Amino acid sequence: MADTTPQGATAGGEPPKPKVIIFDVNETLLDLESMRSSVGDALGGKEELLPLWFSTMLHNSLVTTVTGQYHDFGQIGVASLLMVAENNDIALSEEKAENAIVSTILSLPPHPDVKPGLTALNEQGFKIVSLTNSSNNGVKTQFENAGLTDFFEARYSIEDIKVYKPDLRAYEWVLDQLGVKPEEALMVAAHGWDVAGAKEAGLQTAFVDRPGKALYPLAKKPDYVIKDLGELADIMKAK
């Protein structure tokens, strides 16, 4: 069972009850496992390369941020798949790479715990929003296809500022949009790099311990480590 002991909390004990809960989308809410077959087919049947493709996409998103040459997440995803193919001596056209990614990533299913967990948080009266590296239209379509739209008061995309998470400016921007202080917001993500960035920006953080995910050992520890969103709802209810 995941350790839910608050970590990195202020000297007074647990962090305060947040005014807003901010969710990452891909892998945190939506299950990328369904992409394994489409990406695997594009990579000559090597489904085990899916995590490498996703990590390469994240790496390249930060390249665009530090170089100031913005490309949307879809373009970066296609380019990254082409790189993985080339590095593994797999012939892959840009058209085939795009077909393997675009339609599948827009129709990802939510993890089984997501709707019950969000329902519980909604019933507790929390303001719930999302913050993603995906495009505005992309996450809108993802939420519609996954049946998540009604759980969220707002969706935020770094497309509006062209600075990818975990750059601290992405978190500072969404706090400004929400009109809350860093310590009044809780960032929930299944990525060590995402909770590391949010924590450094001063937000409360919760790491969703999805299979195959790990915290970055050199970063500040998150306030909570949870096994699923139901556990998060239980923690918030006790506040």
Side-chain angles (χ1 to χ4, degrees):
M1 183 174 180
D3 178 12
T4 60
T5 302
Q7 314 226 13
T10 56
E14 289 194 16
K17 185 175 182 177
K19 291 184 176 180
V20 60
I21 301 178
I22 307 168
F23 282 91
D24 172 56
V25 176
N26 293 314
E27 293 194 298
T28 301
L29 300 174
L30 303 179
D31 190 355
L32 258 67
E33 186 63 24
S34 61
M35 295 198 69
R36 190 175 294 276
S37 60
S38 64
V39 171
D41 288 345
L43 295 174
K46 295 185 177 181
E47 295 185 359
E48 67 274 12
L49 292 177
L50 175 66
L52 177 60
W53 162 70
F54 195 74
S55 62
T56 301
M57 179 169 60
L58 294 170
H59 171 89
N60 290 331
S61 70
L62 291 181
V63 171
T64 71
T65 291
V66 299
T67 59
Q69 297 182 347
Y70 178 79
H71 300 282
D72 71 43
F73 215 38
Q75 291 175 304
I76 295 172
V78 171
S80 298
L81 190 58
L82 291 171
M83 290 175 67
V84 171
E86 182 177 353
N87 289 338
N88 286 274
D89 298 318
I90 299 168
L92 179 63
S93 67
E94 184 172 346
E95 181 181 7
K96 189 174 180 180
E98 185 173 347
N99 290 336
I101 294 172
V102 176
S103 61
T104 309
I105 203 168
L106 291 177
S107 56
L108 296 174
H111 288 286
D113 61 284
V114 167
K115 288 185 179 180
L118 292 176
T119 297
L121 291 169
N122 280 159
E123 289 174 349
Q124 291 176 38
F126 282 103
K127 180 174 184 176
I128 300 175
V129 304
S130 62
L131 174 63
T132 180
N133 280 341
S134 298
S135 68
N136 284 302
N137 285 336
V139 73
K140 178 177 181 292
T141 303
Q142 285 183 311
F143 274 25
E144 288 172 350
N145 290 337
L148 298 182
T149 303
D150 292 342
F151 290 104
F152 291 82
E153 291 193 27
R155 299 181 301 270
Y156 296 98
S157 166
I158 63 85
E159 181 181 32
D160 292 339
I161 55 168
K162 297 178 170 54
V163 174
Y164 282 99
K165 296 185 296 176
D167 190 297
L168 302 191
R169 290 172 292 175
Y171 307 101
E172 292 163 355
W173 169 75
V174 78
L175 291 173
D176 185 60
Q177 299 302 302
L178 293 165
V180 296
K181 299 175 182 178
E183 64 273 17
E184 295 174 331
L186 170 64
M187 180 76 206
V188 183
H191 302 287
W193 54 265
D194 205 351
V195 294
K199 190 65 179 174
E200 200 63 40
L203 284 74
Q204 297 182 40
T205 55
F207 175 69
V208 188
D209 193 13
R210 301 287 187 202
K213 300 303 170 189
L215 289 166
Y216 178 40
L218 300 182
K220 295 176 181 177
K221 293 182 179 180
D223 297 286
Y224 308 100
V225 177
I226 55 175
K227 66 179 184 298
D228 56 35
L229 300 197
E231 189 169 7
L232 177 65
D234 289 342
I235 293 170
M236 293 297 109
K237 188 175 183 179
K239 285 187 170 294

